[in-house]
């Protein structure tokens, strides 16, 4: 009897060996430059003290790929670190009355040592980073200064998204359906002085760059394309009656200008208060105040009822000099376009709905080219023929777009324009646990950046955490009050900290050179490893992290610091893990602990189940019986291996495995040889085809079943058996690395299985020499026969009728006919 499969002792032994010998550490080797491969998972927030199997699935996916790539001969970088700054850590620390630094570092230690290492992830821990470490956030501050020098970081007063629960500002991307992305509180609008990064400067190249990202999920590209929101159109200028000002309107439909019957300003537009008549002022002010409590996303939702009111002023249509009323309404945003739109009820569905509600007039200026009687009285939004448009009548509407824009430009009331939905990235946060912004405010010099030799600007340790009101940094007067680096007079520091997404926008660059104290990273090392070959993470990051780090990479590319404009070659978006009908989440109480799972079944079982239970890009429904099934499978492999090893330990003189592909070899030997090589082909192709782990592991299970059948043969070919066992262990290595490492060593191999060459297959072995078909007599199965795979109908009939069991059934009977279905069955009809 062989020893029982004991994952706890096996896994602990190999984890210790891997760590002691630092086998996953890689350095830049010029000889391996063409085989360099960078595999990366989005790093975790250590704001909680535990990770669950929903997190672990993501890390397991990347780890399996990294291990497979190493076996294929790739010089693989696979690092891990911690996205350690941000509101969750600060809020958790406040709740527990501990300092955020203490809470964060304790969590990092536990997650790294008790969870990630326990799962056998093959990280290069020598490259570990934590964004809350001054050695890291020093370079956040350095990048801020470089962006400011390039005109891409600026400060302005703006209406911003304010979370009353988190007591901080949120970027537009962090407002989800009108609520805070973290705590789900309703977001309000406030006017504050804030720092921004000018991501809009990169809007066009971020948009066009998506076309080159062919190895990114189309869903992510579509989300970013929509968020950037490019619109090509015309900017028109409407004069204001009895007022010296003007209102600029952006429209993609200049052909409908003659149909404009009213004009709408965003509630935040500064002209609303200025133009409101005395009779309308109070109602307008109340409406504007109410709009501040509604998010931009909700205001532009198709489900929100459109609402507005006239402000008591008139605008003049520049095309026909008609006076039209000025309104303010909830569906116009000040930050989009010009903050003003012209209302054309006859040719815009939203305007049509609004005009019907408030009794505003509608004028048709485009009709269908082929009108149909009885058309519904709705907005006509398709191309057509111009009417009621003066000199442009009878033109096609598409022609009119061009000619009317030209006419507006020639008469100084318009011009072509391109706008984007994308807004500049708001980075100011009114919290403590983030990167301090490296500027001071001096009465004499104004806003003054810190010189680079004063970085890092450290966070003060002694502050008061209340979770309410202004930034905790304001409670550290010795830190706030300082000297101006320019004139050395009194100054105060900026007390906002940077958005946590600042940290994750360039962290992949820091991994290539994490200990550099002179620069964020060495340019030669960046050129060696970048761009990231594979990036694994959730699609929910499409318009925050994944957009910001594309912007950051493009900025660095223009400075000559990184080799490519895009940061990642292939983005793989994994599905979520669901348990008891909803997404696995600590807040919902439906999590599965990786520690408890490893204690009961072993880390390899947890890995195999998460990779086998569903395609990696799909959601996985957690199933406890499926975990037990994965454990039984690994136990079966363990038993089969030791049964095979007993045979191999005493075997002598068997023919080489390659010889059994010949037709003179035993059928069982040929079939085992074929199954082993078929498994290699199937697993390799499944991994190459978008990492189809579930079908790859299924192919390994088929190989295990075939090995079990072969071991029950009265006599086996030891060379064939050794070939099958070796391939089984190698194929299992990316998925169950501890077990594979143990079995690999027991086979007497030197070195680690993770660096053993990935198995290859023999094409000739895949040919099926013989197949088994059924023989029936009068429709009842009477025998099974082995026949040449390519046997024709006559051969199949001859072999079937010669079968001993069939002949017994034919005694004393006449054959009426023989039905042959090639490669399936022979049915002999008798009477």
């Amino acid at each position: 009897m062989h020893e029982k499969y004991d994952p706890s002792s096996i896994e602990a032994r190999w984890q210790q060996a891997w760590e002691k010998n630092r086998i996953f550490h890689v350095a830049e080797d010029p000889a391996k430059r063409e085989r360099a491969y960078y595999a990366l998972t989005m790093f975790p927030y250590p704001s909680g003290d535990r990770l669950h199997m929903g997190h672990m699935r993501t890390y397991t996916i990347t780890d399996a790929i990294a291990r497979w790539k190493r076996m294929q001969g790739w010089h693989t970088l696979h690092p891990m670190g911690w996205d350690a700054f941000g509101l969750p850590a600060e809020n958790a620390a406040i709740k527990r009355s501990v300092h955020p630094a203490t809470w964060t570092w304790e969590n990092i230690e536990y997650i790294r040592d008790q969870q990630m290492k326990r799962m056998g992830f093959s990280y290069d821990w020598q490259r570990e980073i934590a964004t809350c470490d001054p050695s890291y956030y020093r370079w956040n501050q350095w990048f801020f200064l470089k962006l400011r020098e390039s005109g891409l970081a600026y400060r302005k007063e703006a209406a911003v998204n304010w979370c009353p629960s988190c007591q901080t500002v949120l970027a537009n991307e962090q407002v989800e359906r009108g609520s805070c992305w973290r705590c789900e509180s309703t977001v309000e609008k406030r006017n504050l002085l804030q720092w921004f990064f000018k991501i809009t400067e990169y809007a066009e190249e971020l948009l066009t760059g998506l076309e080159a990202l062919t190895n990114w999920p189309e869903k992510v590209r579509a989300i970013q394309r929509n968020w950037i929101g490019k619109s090509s159109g015309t900017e028109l200028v409407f004069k204001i009656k009895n007022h010296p000002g003007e209102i600029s309107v952006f429209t993609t439909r200049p052909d409908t200008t003659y149909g404009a019957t009213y004009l709408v300003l965003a509630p935040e537009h500064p002209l609303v208060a200025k133009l409101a008549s005395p009779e309308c002022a109070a109602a307008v002010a109340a409406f504007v105040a109410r709009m501040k409590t509604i998010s931009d996303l909700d205001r532009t939702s198709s489900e929100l009822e459109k609402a507005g009111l006239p402000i008591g002023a008139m605008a003049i249509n520049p095309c026909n000099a008609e006076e039209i009323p000025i309104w303010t309404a909830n569906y116009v945003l000040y930050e989009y376009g010009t903050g003003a739109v012209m209302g054309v009820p006859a040719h815009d569905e939203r305007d049509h709905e609004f005009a019907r509600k408030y009794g505003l007039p509608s004028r048709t200026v485009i009709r269908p080219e082929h009108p149909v009687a009885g058309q519904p009285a709705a907005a006509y939004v398709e191309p057509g023929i111009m009417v009621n448009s003066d000199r442009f009548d009878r033109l096609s509407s598409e022609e009119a777009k061009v000619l009317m824009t030209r006419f507006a430009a020639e008469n100084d009331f318009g011009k072509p324009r391109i706008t984007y939905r994308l807004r500049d990235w708001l980075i100011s946060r009114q919290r403590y646990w983030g990167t301090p912004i490296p500027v001071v405010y001096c009465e004499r010099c104004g806003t003054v950046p810190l010189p680079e030799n004063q970085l890092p600007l450290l966070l003060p340790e002694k502050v008061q955490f209340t979770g309410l009101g202004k930034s905790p940094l304001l409670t550290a007067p010795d830190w706030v009050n300082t000297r101006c680096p320019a004139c050395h007079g009194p100054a105060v520091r900026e007390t906002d900290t940077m958005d946590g997404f600042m940290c994750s926008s360039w962290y992949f660059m820091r991994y290539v050179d994490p200990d550099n104290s002179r620069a964020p990273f060495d340019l030669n090392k960046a050129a060696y490893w970048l761009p990231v070959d594979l990036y694994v993470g959730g699609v929910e990051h499409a318009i925050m992290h994944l957009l910001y780090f594309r912007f950051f990479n493009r900025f660095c590319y223009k400075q000559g610091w990184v080799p490519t404009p895009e940061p990642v070659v292939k983005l793989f978006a994994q599905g979520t893990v669901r348990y008891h009908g909803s997404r696995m989440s600590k807040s919902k109480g439906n999590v599965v602990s990786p520690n408890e799972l490893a204690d009961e079944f072993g880390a390899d079982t947890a890995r195999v189940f998460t990779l086998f239970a569903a395609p990696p890009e799909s959601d996985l429904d957690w199933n406890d019986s499926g975990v037990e099934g994965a454990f039984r499978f690994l136990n079966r492999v363990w038993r089969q291996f030791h049964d095979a090893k007993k045979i191999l330990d005493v075997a002598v003189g068997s023919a080489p495995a390659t010889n059994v592909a010949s037709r003179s070899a035993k059928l069982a030997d040929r079939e085992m040889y074929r199954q082993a090589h078929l498994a290699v082909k199937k697993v390799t192709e499944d991994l190459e085809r978008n990492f189809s782990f579930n079908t790859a592991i299924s192919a390994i299970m088929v190989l295990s079943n075939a090995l079990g059948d072969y071991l029950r043969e009265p006599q086996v070919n030891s060379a064939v058996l050794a070939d099958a066992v070796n391939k089984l262990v190698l194929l299992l290595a990316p998925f169950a690395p501890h077990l594979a490492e143990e079995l690999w060593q027991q086979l007497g191999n030197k070195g680690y299985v993770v660096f053993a060459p990935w198995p290859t297959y023999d094409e000739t072995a895949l040919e099926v020499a013989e197949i088994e078909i059924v023989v029936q007599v009068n429709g009842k199965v009477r025998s099974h026969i082995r026949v040449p795979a390519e046997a024709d109908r006559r051969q199949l009939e001859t072999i079937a009728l010669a079968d001993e069991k069939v002949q017994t059934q034919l005694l004393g009977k006449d054959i009426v006919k023989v039905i042959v279905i090639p490669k399936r069955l022979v049915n002999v009809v008798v009477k």
Side-chain angles (χ1 to χ4, degrees), residues 260-396:
T261 59
Y262 64 97
L263 189 144
V264 184
L265 296 176
E268 304 86 359
H269 199 296
L271 284 175
V272 170
K274 294 178 181 179
L275 297 178
S277 67
E279 310 85 64
C280 299
V284 168
F287 180 81
V288 170
R290 190 164 69 251
M291 291 304 101
K292 290 181 178 180
T293 66
I294 305 175
S295 74
D296 290 352
L297 194 63
D298 281 341
R299 281 172 51 186
T300 54
S301 169
S302 59
E303 299 175 3
L304 182 73
E305 182 180 1
K306 307 301 180 283
L309 74 168
I311 67 172
M314 303 293 285
I316 300 171
N317 188 320
C319 285
N320 57 16
E322 180 183 7
E323 295 181 4
I324 59 177
I326 301 174
W327 285 58
T328 184
N330 60 356
Y331 63 87
V332 181
L333 304 180
Y334 183 55
E335 293 291 323
Y336 184 66
T338 64
V341 300
M342 61 182 191
V344 187
H347 303 292
D348 182 276
E349 293 176 355
R350 179 192 60 190
D351 296 347
H352 180 76
E353 176 188 339
F354 189 80
R356 286 188 63 183
K357 178 177 179 179
Y358 292 105
L360 293 166
S362 176
R363 180 185 302 117
T364 297
V365 293
I366 301 172
R367 63 167 174 76
E369 187 172 358
H370 304 290
V372 177
Q375 283 187 318
Y380 180 72
V381 298
E382 302 300 326
I385 304 301
M386 301 294 295
V387 296
N388 300 321
S389 298
D390 196 19
R391 71 188 68 194
F392 303 103
D393 284 352
R394 293 183 295 280
L395 292 175
S396 74

Side-chain angles (χ1 to χ4, degrees), residues 20-41:
K20 178 182 177 181
N21 296 292
R22 303 191 308 174
I23 71 165
F24 302 122
H25 175 59
V26 291
E28 296 71 32
D29 182 346
K32 298 178 180 179
R33 174 64 187 89
E34 297 304 314
R35 297 289 290 174
Y37 188 87
Y38 188 171
L40 185 62
T41 310

Side-chain angles (χ1 to χ4, degrees), residues 499-518:
D499 181 10
F501 283 106
M502 174 68 178
C503 299
S504 58
S505 291
W506 71 280
Y507 79 109
F508 62 99
M509 303 175 189
R510 185 65 174 173
Y511 280 135
V512 308
D513 194 14
D515 299 320
N516 195 327
S517 60
R518 299 180 305 278

Side-chain angles (χ1 to χ4, degrees), residues 743-757:
L743 302 184
W744 185 249
Q745 296 296 320
Q746 289 191 26
L747 284 172
N749 294 296
K750 302 298 181 183
Y752 296 93
V753 71
V754 71
F755 297 116

Side-chain angles (χ1 to χ4, degrees), residues 232-246:
S232 299
T234 305
E235 183 176 320
L236 299 171
V237 177
F238 286 67
K239 294 187 181 299
I240 304 167
K241 183 180 179 181
N242 299 326
H243 191 279
E246 298 176 334

Side-chain angles (χ1 to χ4, degrees), residues 579 597 601 604-614 620-634 697 701:
Y579 195 34
L597 203 61
F601 298 106
D604 281 347
T605 292
R607 292 171 62 110
V608 168
F609 171 73
T610 57
L611 296 175
F612 174 67
L620 183 157
D621 287 313
W622 191 267
N623 184 304
D624 293 331
S625 63
V627 175
E628 295 169 0
F631 184 61
R632 288 194 299 271
F633 164 62
L634 296 182
I697 292 173
M701 291 176 173

